[in-house]
Amino acid sequence: MFNNAYCSDKYQYTMGKSFYDCGKKNQIAIFNLFYRKAPENNNWAVVSGTDEVLEMIGNLGNADTGFFEKFLPGEEYAEYRNYLSKMKFTGNVYAMREGEIAFPSQPVIIVEAPLIEAQVLETPMLCIMNHQMAVATKASRVCRSTNRPVSEFGSRRAHGPWAAVYGAKAAIIAGCSNSSNIMTGALFDMMSTGTMAHSYVTSFGCSVEGEHKAFDTYIKTHAGEPLILLIDTYDTLRCGILNAMKAYRENGIDDCYGPGYGIRLDSGDLAYLSTECRKILDASGFRNCKIFATNSLDEYLISDLERQGACIDSYGVGDAIATSKANPCFGNVYKLVQIDGEPVLKRSEDKIKLINPGFQITYRITRNDSEKGAIYKADVTCLRGDELSRQIENNETFTIYDEYDRYKFKTFESGTYSAKPLQILMMENGKRCFGQESLSDKKAYYADTLAHFSPSERRLINPHYYKVDISDSLYNLKMDMINKLFTEINNFKI
């Protein structure tokens, strides 16, 4: 059986051999998984994949020594192979909930565990999180481009069956109403959606009458279900829409049909065709007949269709979501931030690669607006237990400063705000301690979270800046470590 805990890179295990041999294997390490820049100039990204990460972590220690011998051969590895075959995860995992909205540099997942246990999780964890967060963030963008339902049906373009199933899951969390993928529906107790392809229509013969027969047969064999007829196989306006209405009439389907009915457009000028179809349907008494649109759509095309006044009731989006087509590689990284109680960081000549050291926690600060209700005002990442963290936990007055412009600051008075930590303890001493949530719960959590950001922060183009800062203690720790390193480097000679 494929064990995704070992879908890893060899260097995770060669490093582990050095840790094992030199006696570092039991040092407690803290790793942060986070991203540096959101795709497509987003303000933020949508979290998806933490459930699969927890499942993956639980699979450690389920491979025999023969497996490890395939990539760590030789007698010198024998003791280490035996250790790996029995190595279960014994640490703690703090993570953001699926459906959470995460900003750059915030820890999405924090692993606190013996060094080898934490190190070998890097590749499989990034594989899971980078895929699902790419799809979820793209799905969020597509769904925010319209107030109408969006269905995900990109399985045939996904990068393999696993990607199709869990990509669809991520898309649903981030706003899609459903997916065409039947395995996603079965695994997550969500109804999958779908009716017919062009091959169904042409299987009744390449003729106008064959199209009518296809529609009539479909209606008869799916009575009592939602009905959607694909009308662009031959000619949308001159036969497709006419055959659809004819078949509906002959089978007694009208605006009183409870499960709902409609037509689907999959080619051509969707703005023009949908408008013309709407006129024809309304004039013929099919006012409740819905118009669904597909055909290589994304958030930009949907926004443009909306701007043109297209008469479309629902959209289907495939590869743009399933492959996160415009930005297929999400940028989560997994970095060591503390070892045996000592903060560490990676310094780079590339400024964006400088990381925040130490054991961290992020708070989301909320204020109540008399008109808008609860509004998220700022996120701040602290060192756990530092002064700002204690002030927030005790609901005291506190001030946060912009990391890159210390003259920009914001004060929150005691009693005027509420705060919640974004990283939740999900695995303690190797055992899962955070309950399973249904896919519908995750979807609802995302929708509720999104609603607490201002409309200007949710827009697709040039979103308004949302305040994301770090505590003075974290800032000072980072700068002190950088300055110390800089001094050492300047004085270094061989």
Side-chain angles (χ1 to χ4, degrees):
M1 182 182 292
F2 179 79
N3 185 341
N4 61 0
Y6 299 109
C7 180
S8 193
D9 293 309
K10 184 174 179 179
Y11 79 161
Q12 312 296 353
Y13 288 87
T14 57
M15 285 187 286
K17 172 67 158 53
S18 297
F19 297 151
Y20 184 85
D21 286 353
C22 77
K24 290 176 67 71
K25 70 178 188 294
N26 292 321
Q27 289 186 349
I28 299 301
I30 296 176
F31 282 83
N32 282 359
L33 181 143
F34 62 95
Y35 71 94
R36 296 182 174 108
K37 188 176 186 298
E40 298 186 76
N41 294 316
N42 270 356
N43 248 356
W44 40 260
V46 180
V47 176
S48 181
T50 51
D51 259 357
E52 286 69 43
V53 163
L54 296 175
E55 180 183 357
M56 176 273 293
I57 293 172
N59 288 334
L60 274 179
N62 289 331
D64 60 26
T65 55
F67 168 77
F68 296 102
E69 193 168 9
K70 294 178 186 297
F71 62 95
L72 297 172
E75 186 58 31
E76 66 274 21
Y77 282 99
E79 183 180 336
Y80 180 50
R81 289 195 299 266
N82 185 59
Y83 168 80
L84 292 174
S85 70
K86 300 173 182 176
M87 186 184 76
K88 291 284 190 180
F89 183 78
T90 61
N92 304 322
V93 176
Y94 303 80
M96 293 186 182
R97 291 174 60 179
E98 296 201 78
E100 189 62 86
I101 287 175
F103 289 85
S105 297
Q106 295 176 340
V108 176
I109 299 177
I110 299 170
V111 176
E112 179 189 21
L115 181 54
I116 298 180
E117 295 176 24
Q119 181 67 71
V120 300
L121 297 177
E122 177 174 4
T123 299
M125 187 181 294
L126 287 173
C127 178
I128 292 168
M129 297 302 294
N130 278 332
H131 168 247
Q132 290 200 37
M133 287 183 66
V135 175
T137 303
K138 184 64 172 182
S140 171
R141 288 180 58 82
V142 172
C143 293
R144 283 183 285 128
S145 69
T146 178
N147 291 323
R148 294 169 174 82
V150 175
S151 298
E152 184 281 329
F153 65 96
S155 292
R156 66 191 61 194
R157 305 284 190 236
H159 299 151
W162 191 94
V165 171
Y166 291 99
K169 166 224 164 182
I172 290 171
I173 287 174
C176 286
S177 56
N178 48 47
S179 170
S180 64
N181 192 288
I182 58 173
M183 187 172 287
T184 302
L187 284 175
F188 298 104
D189 197 27
M190 297 284 288
M191 185 62 67
S192 52
T193 186
T195 53
M196 65 178 65
H198 292 107
S199 59
Y200 173 79
V201 177
T202 57
S203 73
F204 287 83
C206 189
S207 66
V208 173
E209 179 50 36
E211 182 181 56
H212 169 258
K213 180 65 174 174
F215 292 163
D216 179 68
T217 301
Y218 191 87
I219 294 168
K220 284 181 166 61
T221 54
H222 293 276
E225 302 174 21
L227 301 168
I228 305 294
L229 304 179
L230 179 60
I231 66 170
D232 72 329
T233 304
Y234 303 123
D235 190 295
T236 298
L237 297 179
R238 294 196 291 177
C239 65
I241 184 73
L242 303 178
N243 270 328
M245 292 191 299
K246 180 181 178 183
Y248 277 142
R249 277 201 191 95
E250 290 171 347
N251 287 278
I253 305 298
D254 56 24
D255 283 355
C256 295
Y257 183 67
Y261 72 113
I263 59 171
R264 176 160 76 95
L265 304 172
D266 189 51
S267 62
D269 186 332
L270 296 179
Y272 169 74
L273 290 173
S274 66
T275 302
E276 292 302 305
C277 285
R278 185 76 272 158
K279 291 176 183 175
I280 294 169
L281 291 167
D282 287 352
S284 303
F286 295 102
R287 290 179 177 81
N288 289 344
C289 183
K290 303 298 183 183
I291 299 176
F292 295 79
T294 55
N295 188 24
S296 300
L297 297 175
D298 61 17
E299 68 267 43
Y300 304 106
L301 289 172
I302 291 174
S303 294
D304 196 52
L305 287 168
E306 304 263 305
R307 181 187 59 80
Q308 294 178 66
C311 296
I312 296 170
D313 298 291
S314 184
Y315 297 93
V317 180
D319 55 358
I321 289 177
T323 67
S324 185
K325 192 172 183 179
N327 204 103
C329 183
F330 197 84
N332 277 319
V333 294
Y334 185 76
K335 298 298 180 183
L336 182 67
V337 296
Q338 185 167 298
I339 184 73
D340 257 9
E342 180 183 347
V344 296
L345 57 71
K346 175 186 181 291
R347 178 187 178 272
S348 173
E349 293 176 4
D350 188 349
K351 289 182 180 179
I352 198 172
K353 291 193 173 183
L354 177 65
I355 70 173
N356 293 325
F359 194 7
Q360 300 158 34
I361 184 169
T362 305
Y363 296 96
R364 181 155 291 158
I365 312 302
T366 303
R367 272 183 174 163
N368 283 314
D369 184 280
S370 58
E371 295 180 359
K372 302 175 183 177
I375 301 294
Y376 296 146
K377 300 303 292 184
D379 284 8
V380 59
T381 299
C382 306
L383 293 170
R384 288 177 179 253
D386 71 13
E387 182 181 4
L388 180 56
S389 177
R390 292 193 299 271
Q391 288 173 335
I392 293 172
E393 294 279 0
N394 295 326
N395 199 246
E396 299 172 7
T397 298
F398 69 91
T399 301
I400 52 177
Y401 296 86
D402 189 291
E403 181 178 356
Y404 303 103
D405 184 351
R406 305 302 279 178
Y407 292 101
K408 291 182 179 178
F409 60 91
K410 191 173 187 65
T411 297
F412 292 86
E413 300 289 341
S414 177
T416 67
Y417 68 89
S418 60
K420 69 172 182 178
L422 298 186
Q423 298 87 10
I424 299 168
L425 181 62
M426 294 196 172
M427 186 174 276
E428 186 174 20
N429 298 325
K431 305 296 182 184
R432 183 162 182 160
C433 59
F434 185 78
Q436 292 273 74
E437 293 183 293
S438 69
L439 187 54
S440 58
D441 287 340
K442 296 171 185 177
K443 179 182 176 71
Y445 180 77
Y446 161 77
D448 180 69
T449 299
L450 183 66
H452 290 294
F453 287 96
S454 73
S456 63
E457 291 158 354
R458 301 197 299 261
R459 64 191 178 209
L460 299 179
I461 307 298
N462 295 325
H464 189 265
Y465 172 77
Y466 176 78
K467 195 167 186 58
V468 179
D469 290 325
I470 62 176
S471 70
D472 286 350
S473 296
L474 178 51
Y475 177 82
N476 291 335
L477 173 65
K478 178 163 67 171
M479 298 312 297
D480 288 346
M481 293 176 68
I482 292 170
N483 291 334
K484 180 175 179 291
L485 268 174
F486 185 73
T487 300
E488 289 184 11
I489 293 168
N490 274 351
N491 294 328
F492 182 69
K493 292 183 175 61
I494 57 171

